[in-house]
Amino acid sequence: MNEFITAIAVVKSIILVLGTGITYIALKAYRRTGEDSLRILGVGFGIISVGALLTGVANQFFSVSLALGVLVNSVFVAIGLAVIMYSLRIQK
């Protein structure tokens, strides 16, 4: 069981780093172009990244059950993907 917890922590860290990187790039592109869809795209990836961070911290430091952590993380991912989908549908 301990190896699964370690693997989850590693994967959540990777998600956090990659999601934060995508968020940064999207928001930097928004500042350069002023395109609202890029800002919303960055927000969507930011939501997914924050979800990974919060559920990882809750599981490691506050003894939140794995099942609850997966549920909460899934909600963040679903909301983030909905925001990303919306950003891709925006037209000028």
Side-chain angles (χ1 to χ4, degrees), residues 12 15 44 47-49 51-52 70-84:
K12 291 251 185 230
I15 291 169
I47 291 169
I48 292 172
S49 301
V70 168
L71 174 64
V72 171
N73 188 53
S74 297
V75 169
F76 274 96
V77 170
I79 293 169
L81 289 175
V83 171
I84 290 168

Side-chain angles (χ1 to χ4, degrees), residues 48-88:
I48 292 172
S49 301
V50 167
L53 175 67
L54 291 179
T55 56
V57 167
N59 185 266
Q60 292 295 316
F61 297 112
F62 299 111
S63 300
V64 172
S65 71
L66 184 59
L68 180 59
V70 168
L71 174 64
V72 171
N73 188 53
S74 297
V75 169
F76 274 96
V77 170
I79 293 169
L81 289 175
V83 171
I84 290 168
M85 190 168 122
Y86 175 74
S87 77
L88 297 174

